[in-house]
Amino acid sequence: GSIEEMSIPLYYGWFLLSSIQDKVRCTSMDFLKTLDTLEAFKKHLIDFTGKAEKEVDLEQYFEAKGTLHCTTKFCNYGKVEGAKEYAQNKAVGDFYGSAFELSLSALFVTPRTVGARVSLSEEQLLLWPADAEKEAGPASLPPGSRAHVTLGCAEGVEPVQTGLDLLEILALQQGGQQGELIEEMELGSLTYYGEGRWLLSLREPIGALACFSSFYG
Ligand code: 2AM
């Protein structure tokens, strides 16, 4: 490609500092370790295994995918719609290289992905692209709903799926499906939304220092 194309990255996002990455990975591992021992989880195991009776070790089930980050705009070097406009956005230029504190407010698990929901502040929303929630189907979710950190993917699943899984859970909530409150865990309250979709709302959101930057690959 040309120099011009090269100047647009694979994606922009907030990259978690390495000490906080370790903390988030540990919290997520603890959660997965606990989740797959719960009777309520075992009851719905078939969502993950395709077979009743089969066991699953969630810590092995998901593969980690590189540096933990919250993607703002996937650009694919300029090939994605809106990528150039995003790269030229004033806020993107102004905040490039700046530190932010992200608030991780929930963990979610599906048979495809595990991720952390990110609740964006007003300032952080300035870096959020307007069309990020358009894949939420008929639900109209507020900007920032899709913000997340991918913590792991099942074999053969691409990380783009994590945001789609989060949108799906939020669309169910918006449609009035409250889910089944399973239990109050030490980390927060655990809800089941059917079809292998689990959400843990964190009692104490995790404050995660992160640098707004981009990844070229
Ligand atoms: P993620 O944000 O859920 O982790 C490189 O593939 C990064 O860009 C990953 O972090 C990935 O998912 C994100 N990504 C890939 N394709 C995407 C798409 N079509 N829309 C939004 N994000 C995407």
Side-chain angles (χ1 to χ4, degrees), residues 10-11 69-71 73-74 80 135 146 148-150 158-163 215:
L10 182 60
Y11 63 90
H69 65 274
C70 173
T71 305
K73 177 72 182 175
F74 179 71
V80 169
E135 276 139 313
R146 184 179 183 159
H148 69 279
V149 175
T150 296
E158 295 295 326
V160 61
Q161 186 61 44
T162 319
F215 182 83

PDB file of all heavy atoms in Angstrom, residues 10-11 69-71 73-74 80 135 146 148-150 158-163 215, ligand 1:
ATOM      1  N   LEU A  10      -4.179  -0.475  12.139  1.00  0.00           N
ATOM      2  CA  LEU A  10      -5.161  -1.568  12.163  1.00  0.00           C
ATOM      3  C   LEU A  10      -6.341  -1.174  13.055  1.00  0.00           C
ATOM      4  O   LEU A  10      -7.490  -1.324  12.678  1.00  0.00           O
ATOM      5  CB  LEU A  10      -4.493  -2.852  12.674  1.00  0.00           C
ATOM      6  CG  LEU A  10      -5.354  -4.106  12.716  1.00  0.00           C
ATOM      7  CD1 LEU A  10      -5.878  -4.485  11.318  1.00  0.00           C
ATOM      8  CD2 LEU A  10      -4.586  -5.285  13.316  1.00  0.00           C
ATOM      9  N   TYR A  11      -6.011  -0.631  14.221  1.00  0.00           N
ATOM     10  CA  TYR A  11      -7.083  -0.116  15.090  1.00  0.00           C
ATOM     11  C   TYR A  11      -6.529   0.900  16.080  1.00  0.00           C
ATOM     12  O   TYR A  11      -5.330   0.940  16.341  1.00  0.00           O
ATOM     13  CB  TYR A  11      -7.802  -1.244  15.836  1.00  0.00           C
ATOM     14  CG  TYR A  11      -6.957  -2.036  16.807  1.00  0.00           C
ATOM     15  CD1 TYR A  11      -6.840  -1.660  18.140  1.00  0.00           C
ATOM     16  CD2 TYR A  11      -6.289  -3.189  16.407  1.00  0.00           C
ATOM     17  CE1 TYR A  11      -6.075  -2.399  19.037  1.00  0.00           C
ATOM     18  CE2 TYR A  11      -5.518  -3.930  17.293  1.00  0.00           C
ATOM     19  CZ  TYR A  11      -5.412  -3.520  18.601  1.00  0.00           C
ATOM     20  OH  TYR A  11      -4.649  -4.238  19.474  1.00  0.00           O
ATOM     21  N   HIS A  69      -6.637  -4.482  25.682  1.00  0.00           N
ATOM     22  CA  HIS A  69      -6.988  -3.139  25.216  1.00  0.00           C
ATOM     23  C   HIS A  69      -8.481  -3.041  24.974  1.00  0.00           C
ATOM     24  O   HIS A  69      -9.170  -4.060  24.866  1.00  0.00           O
ATOM     25  CB  HIS A  69      -6.245  -2.831  23.905  1.00  0.00           C
ATOM     26  CG  HIS A  69      -6.683  -3.740  22.786  1.00  0.00           C
ATOM     27  ND1 HIS A  69      -6.121  -4.971  22.579  1.00  0.00           N
ATOM     28  CD2 HIS A  69      -7.642  -3.599  21.848  1.00  0.00           C
ATOM     29  CE1 HIS A  69      -6.717  -5.553  21.555  1.00  0.00           C
ATOM     30  NE2 HIS A  69      -7.655  -4.739  21.087  1.00  0.00           N
ATOM     31  N   CYS A  70      -8.942  -1.802  24.873  1.00  0.00           N
ATOM     32  CA  CYS A  70     -10.336  -1.531  24.515  1.00  0.00           C
ATOM     33  C   CYS A  70     -10.297  -0.825  23.160  1.00  0.00           C
ATOM     34  O   CYS A  70      -9.858   0.316  23.061  1.00  0.00           O
ATOM     35  CB  CYS A  70     -10.959  -0.633  25.582  1.00  0.00           C
ATOM     36  SG  CYS A  70     -12.612  -0.052  25.197  1.00  0.00           S
ATOM     37  N   THR A  71     -10.698  -1.536  22.115  1.00  0.00           N
ATOM     38  CA  THR A  71     -10.688  -0.951  20.766  1.00  0.00           C
ATOM     39  C   THR A  71     -11.696   0.198  20.702  1.00  0.00           C
ATOM     40  O   THR A  71     -12.835   0.051  21.148  1.00  0.00           O
ATOM     41  CB  THR A  71     -11.086  -2.014  19.716  1.00  0.00           C
ATOM     42  OG1 THR A  71     -10.221  -3.145  19.845  1.00  0.00           O
ATOM     43  CG2 THR A  71     -11.004  -1.469  18.299  1.00  0.00           C
ATOM     44  N   LYS A  73     -11.754   2.278  17.476  1.00  0.00           N
ATOM     45  CA  LYS A  73     -12.122   2.167  16.059  1.00  0.00           C
ATOM     46  C   LYS A  73     -11.223   1.147  15.362  1.00  0.00           C
ATOM     47  O   LYS A  73     -10.004   1.299  15.353  1.00  0.00           O
ATOM     48  CB  LYS A  73     -11.979   3.541  15.383  1.00  0.00           C
ATOM     49  CG  LYS A  73     -12.266   3.545  13.891  1.00  0.00           C
ATOM     50  CD  LYS A  73     -13.744   3.386  13.575  1.00  0.00           C
ATOM     51  CE  LYS A  73     -13.993   3.356  12.070  1.00  0.00           C
ATOM     52  NZ  LYS A  73     -15.415   3.084  11.755  1.00  0.00           N
ATOM     53  N   PHE A  74     -11.851   0.115  14.799  1.00  0.00           N
ATOM     54  CA  PHE A  74     -11.129  -0.837  13.965  1.00  0.00           C
ATOM     55  C   PHE A  74     -11.059  -0.218  12.574  1.00  0.00           C
ATOM     56  O   PHE A  74     -12.091   0.073  11.973  1.00  0.00           O
ATOM     57  CB  PHE A  74     -11.873  -2.174  13.950  1.00  0.00           C
ATOM     58  CG  PHE A  74     -11.202  -3.205  13.081  1.00  0.00           C
ATOM     59  CD1 PHE A  74     -10.002  -3.775  13.469  1.00  0.00           C
ATOM     60  CD2 PHE A  74     -11.781  -3.605  11.884  1.00  0.00           C
ATOM     61  CE1 PHE A  74      -9.370  -4.719  12.667  1.00  0.00           C
ATOM     62  CE2 PHE A  74     -11.162  -4.557  11.081  1.00  0.00           C
ATOM     63  CZ  PHE A  74      -9.951  -5.113  11.477  1.00  0.00           C
ATOM     64  N   VAL A  80     -11.760   0.294   6.370  1.00  0.00           N
ATOM     65  CA  VAL A  80     -13.084   0.242   6.992  1.00  0.00           C
ATOM     66  C   VAL A  80     -13.779   1.595   6.833  1.00  0.00           C
ATOM     67  O   VAL A  80     -13.140   2.650   6.899  1.00  0.00           O
ATOM     68  CB  VAL A  80     -12.945  -0.121   8.500  1.00  0.00           C
ATOM     69  CG1 VAL A  80     -14.245   0.079   9.245  1.00  0.00           C
ATOM     70  CG2 VAL A  80     -12.440  -1.554   8.644  1.00  0.00           C
ATOM     71  N   GLU A 135     -24.441  -2.622  15.059  1.00  0.00           N
ATOM     72  CA  GLU A 135     -24.666  -4.061  14.917  1.00  0.00           C
ATOM     73  C   GLU A 135     -25.551  -4.642  16.021  1.00  0.00           C
ATOM     74  O   GLU A 135     -25.640  -5.861  16.162  1.00  0.00           O
ATOM     75  CB  GLU A 135     -23.316  -4.801  14.871  1.00  0.00           C
ATOM     76  CG  GLU A 135     -22.713  -4.822  13.481  1.00  0.00           C
ATOM     77  CD  GLU A 135     -21.215  -4.578  13.472  1.00  0.00           C
ATOM     78  OE1 GLU A 135     -20.775  -3.620  14.146  1.00  0.00           O
ATOM     79  OE2 GLU A 135     -20.503  -5.335  12.797  1.00  0.00           O
ATOM     80  N   ARG A 146     -20.881  -0.792  23.443  1.00  0.00           N
ATOM     81  CA  ARG A 146     -20.058  -1.902  22.971  1.00  0.00           C
ATOM     82  C   ARG A 146     -18.659  -1.934  23.596  1.00  0.00           C
ATOM     83  O   ARG A 146     -17.916  -2.905  23.415  1.00  0.00           O
ATOM     84  CB  ARG A 146     -19.942  -1.780  21.450  1.00  0.00           C
ATOM     85  CG  ARG A 146     -19.201  -2.921  20.790  1.00  0.00           C
ATOM     86  CD  ARG A 146     -19.156  -2.708  19.291  1.00  0.00           C
ATOM     87  NE  ARG A 146     -18.522  -3.785  18.574  1.00  0.00           N
ATOM     88  CZ  ARG A 146     -18.723  -4.019  17.274  1.00  0.00           C
ATOM     89  NH1 ARG A 146     -19.545  -3.250  16.587  1.00  0.00           N
ATOM     90  NH2 ARG A 146     -18.102  -5.017  16.682  1.00  0.00           N
ATOM     91  N   HIS A 148     -15.435  -2.570  25.442  1.00  0.00           N
ATOM     92  CA  HIS A 148     -15.053  -3.770  26.185  1.00  0.00           C
ATOM     93  C   HIS A 148     -13.571  -4.061  26.007  1.00  0.00           C
ATOM     94  O   HIS A 148     -12.929  -3.509  25.109  1.00  0.00           O
ATOM     95  CB  HIS A 148     -15.848  -4.977  25.654  1.00  0.00           C
ATOM     96  CG  HIS A 148     -15.422  -5.336  24.264  1.00  0.00           C
ATOM     97  ND1 HIS A 148     -15.886  -4.656  23.149  1.00  0.00           N
ATOM     98  CD2 HIS A 148     -14.530  -6.240  23.794  1.00  0.00           C
ATOM     99  CE1 HIS A 148     -15.302  -5.143  22.071  1.00  0.00           C
ATOM    100  NE2 HIS A 148     -14.460  -6.114  22.434  1.00  0.00           N
ATOM    101  N   VAL A 149     -13.082  -4.952  26.855  1.00  0.00           N
ATOM    102  CA  VAL A 149     -11.743  -5.517  26.687  1.00  0.00           C
ATOM    103  C   VAL A 149     -11.928  -7.008  26.449  1.00  0.00           C
ATOM    104  O   VAL A 149     -12.567  -7.688  27.252  1.00  0.00           O
ATOM    105  CB  VAL A 149     -10.885  -5.307  27.962  1.00  0.00           C
ATOM    106  CG1 VAL A 149      -9.535  -6.009  27.837  1.00  0.00           C
ATOM    107  CG2 VAL A 149     -10.693  -3.821  28.253  1.00  0.00           C
ATOM    108  N   THR A 150     -11.411  -7.506  25.329  1.00  0.00           N
ATOM    109  CA  THR A 150     -11.466  -8.953  25.075  1.00  0.00           C
ATOM    110  C   THR A 150     -10.449  -9.647  25.984  1.00  0.00           C
ATOM    111  O   THR A 150      -9.268  -9.291  25.971  1.00  0.00           O
ATOM    112  CB  THR A 150     -11.125  -9.265  23.603  1.00  0.00           C
ATOM    113  OG1 THR A 150     -12.136  -8.687  22.777  1.00  0.00           O
ATOM    114  CG2 THR A 150     -11.074 -10.775  23.351  1.00  0.00           C
ATOM    115  N   GLU A 158     -12.829 -15.181  16.424  1.00  0.00           N
ATOM    116  CA  GLU A 158     -12.086 -13.931  16.285  1.00  0.00           C
ATOM    117  C   GLU A 158     -12.527 -12.943  17.359  1.00  0.00           C
ATOM    118  O   GLU A 158     -13.694 -12.929  17.737  1.00  0.00           O
ATOM    119  CB  GLU A 158     -12.361 -13.316  14.909  1.00  0.00           C
ATOM    120  CG  GLU A 158     -11.853 -14.135  13.732  1.00  0.00           C
ATOM    121  CD  GLU A 158     -10.336 -14.245  13.722  1.00  0.00           C
ATOM    122  OE1 GLU A 158      -9.661 -13.274  14.139  1.00  0.00           O
ATOM    123  OE2 GLU A 158      -9.827 -15.311  13.314  1.00  0.00           O
ATOM    124  N   PRO A 159     -11.586 -12.074  17.817  1.00  0.00           N
ATOM    125  CA  PRO A 159     -11.928 -11.158  18.915  1.00  0.00           C
ATOM    126  C   PRO A 159     -13.090 -10.203  18.608  1.00  0.00           C
ATOM    127  O   PRO A 159     -13.749  -9.750  19.541  1.00  0.00           O
ATOM    128  CB  PRO A 159     -10.626 -10.396  19.176  1.00  0.00           C
ATOM    129  CG  PRO A 159      -9.699 -10.737  18.088  1.00  0.00           C
ATOM    130  CD  PRO A 159     -10.155 -12.012  17.476  1.00  0.00           C
ATOM    131  N   VAL A 160     -13.332  -9.906  17.335  1.00  0.00           N
ATOM    132  CA  VAL A 160     -14.465  -9.004  17.022  1.00  0.00           C
ATOM    133  C   VAL A 160     -15.769  -9.521  17.652  1.00  0.00           C
ATOM    134  O   VAL A 160     -16.679  -8.751  17.969  1.00  0.00           O
ATOM    135  CB  VAL A 160     -14.642  -8.829  15.491  1.00  0.00           C
ATOM    136  CG1 VAL A 160     -14.945 -10.144  14.811  1.00  0.00           C
ATOM    137  CG2 VAL A 160     -15.703  -7.805  15.174  1.00  0.00           C
ATOM    138  N   GLN A 161     -15.826 -10.813  17.910  1.00  0.00           N
ATOM    139  CA  GLN A 161     -17.029 -11.439  18.468  1.00  0.00           C
ATOM    140  C   GLN A 161     -17.358 -10.935  19.882  1.00  0.00           C
ATOM    141  O   GLN A 161     -18.519 -10.888  20.277  1.00  0.00           O
ATOM    142  CB  GLN A 161     -16.843 -12.968  18.488  1.00  0.00           C
ATOM    143  CG  GLN A 161     -18.081 -13.740  18.901  1.00  0.00           C
ATOM    144  CD  GLN A 161     -19.255 -13.512  17.960  1.00  0.00           C
ATOM    145  OE1 GLN A 161     -19.089 -13.529  16.738  1.00  0.00           O
ATOM    146  NE2 GLN A 161     -20.439 -13.274  18.521  1.00  0.00           N
ATOM    147  N   THR A 162     -16.332 -10.547  20.637  1.00  0.00           N
ATOM    148  CA  THR A 162     -16.562 -10.158  22.038  1.00  0.00           C
ATOM    149  C   THR A 162     -17.539  -8.986  22.146  1.00  0.00           C
ATOM    150  O   THR A 162     -18.462  -9.001  22.962  1.00  0.00           O
ATOM    151  CB  THR A 162     -15.230  -9.787  22.729  1.00  0.00           C
ATOM    152  OG1 THR A 162     -14.222 -10.707  22.312  1.00  0.00           O
ATOM    153  CG2 THR A 162     -15.372  -9.831  24.236  1.00  0.00           C
ATOM    154  N   GLY A 163     -17.337  -7.971  21.307  1.00  0.00           N
ATOM    155  CA  GLY A 163     -18.220  -6.810  21.322  1.00  0.00           C
ATOM    156  C   GLY A 163     -19.635  -7.168  20.879  1.00  0.00           C
ATOM    157  O   GLY A 163     -20.619  -6.628  21.398  1.00  0.00           O
ATOM    158  N   PHE A 215      -2.559   0.503  17.035  1.00  0.00           N
ATOM    159  CA  PHE A 215      -1.805  -0.728  16.785  1.00  0.00           C
ATOM    160  C   PHE A 215      -1.705  -0.938  15.278  1.00  0.00           C
ATOM    161  O   PHE A 215      -2.713  -0.884  14.571  1.00  0.00           O
ATOM    162  CB  PHE A 215      -2.518  -1.898  17.457  1.00  0.00           C
ATOM    163  CG  PHE A 215      -1.814  -3.215  17.301  1.00  0.00           C
ATOM    164  CD1 PHE A 215      -0.770  -3.579  18.142  1.00  0.00           C
ATOM    165  CD2 PHE A 215      -2.196  -4.101  16.295  1.00  0.00           C
ATOM    166  CE1 PHE A 215      -0.118  -4.796  17.999  1.00  0.00           C
ATOM    167  CE2 PHE A 215      -1.543  -5.325  16.137  1.00  0.00           C
ATOM    168  CZ  PHE A 215      -0.501  -5.666  16.991  1.00  0.00           C
TER     169      PHE A 215
HETATM  170  P1  2AM B   1     -11.837  -6.626  20.148  1.00  0.00           P
HETATM  171  O1  2AM B   1     -11.858  -5.137  20.188  1.00  0.00           O
HETATM  172  O2  2AM B   1     -13.116  -7.235  20.539  1.00  0.00           O
HETATM  173  O3  2AM B   1     -10.728  -7.214  20.962  1.00  0.00           O
HETATM  174  C1  2AM B   1      -7.689  -6.473  16.160  1.00  0.00           C
HETATM  175  O4  2AM B   1      -8.372  -7.522  15.550  1.00  0.00           O
HETATM  176  C2  2AM B   1      -8.563  -5.767  17.160  1.00  0.00           C
HETATM  177  O5  2AM B   1      -9.617  -5.080  16.506  1.00  0.00           O
HETATM  178  C3  2AM B   1      -9.201  -6.685  18.166  1.00  0.00           C
HETATM  179  O6  2AM B   1      -9.037  -6.075  19.401  1.00  0.00           O
HETATM  180  C4  2AM B   1     -10.631  -6.822  17.703  1.00  0.00           C
HETATM  181  O7  2AM B   1     -11.630  -7.094  18.614  1.00  0.00           O
HETATM  182  C5  2AM B   1     -10.866  -5.541  16.955  1.00  0.00           C
HETATM  183  N1  2AM B   1     -11.712  -5.775  15.777  1.00  0.00           N
HETATM  184  C6  2AM B   1     -11.463  -6.631  14.744  1.00  0.00           C
HETATM  185  N2  2AM B   1     -12.422  -6.531  13.807  1.00  0.00           N
HETATM  186  C7  2AM B   1     -13.310  -5.605  14.247  1.00  0.00           C
HETATM  187  C8  2AM B   1     -14.516  -5.062  13.726  1.00  0.00           C
HETATM  188  N3  2AM B   1     -15.017  -5.443  12.552  1.00  0.00           N
HETATM  189  N4  2AM B   1     -15.164  -4.145  14.467  1.00  0.00           N
HETATM  190  C9  2AM B   1     -14.684  -3.749  15.643  1.00  0.00           C
HETATM  191  N5  2AM B   1     -13.544  -4.215  16.200  1.00  0.00           N
HETATM  192  C10 2AM B   1     -12.866  -5.133  15.517  1.00  0.00           C
END
